[in-house]
Amino acid sequence: MTAQKALTIDGLETVYDALANAIDQAGQDKTELFLVKLALLNAHALGDAELFQQQLQAALLDL
């Protein structure tokens, strides 16, 4: 298994800004579809279904 790289705070801010802009571009009626497609693309890029499940659970915390 390879070591996981972590984003810096600046990297996270860049990702957050890009995500917010993309959500705006998708529009309210397509936001859910966009987020599902993004999640699936990232799961594929991650290549680890168990880690993806862990991230899903972490994202559900404190909604």
Side-chain angles (χ1 to χ4, degrees):
M1 184 180 246
T2 60
Q4 292 292 323
K5 294 191 301 184
L7 288 174
T8 63
I9 296 299
D10 287 342
L12 286 172
E13 288 177 357
T14 298
V15 168
Y16 179 88
D17 290 342
L19 179 58
N21 287 330
I23 288 170
D24 288 345
Q25 278 184 282
Q28 280 187 322
D29 60 328
K30 301 281 184 172
T31 297
E32 287 184 36
L33 176 61
F34 164 73
L35 291 173
V36 168
K37 287 176 71 174
L38 179 62
L40 291 172
L41 287 167
N42 278 283
H44 185 267
L46 185 63
D48 186 332
E50 185 177 322
L51 180 56
F52 186 77
Q53 289 287 340
Q54 292 170 6
Q55 291 176 334
L56 282 176
Q57 293 307 310
L60 285 169
L61 294 176
D62 301 323
L63 288 178

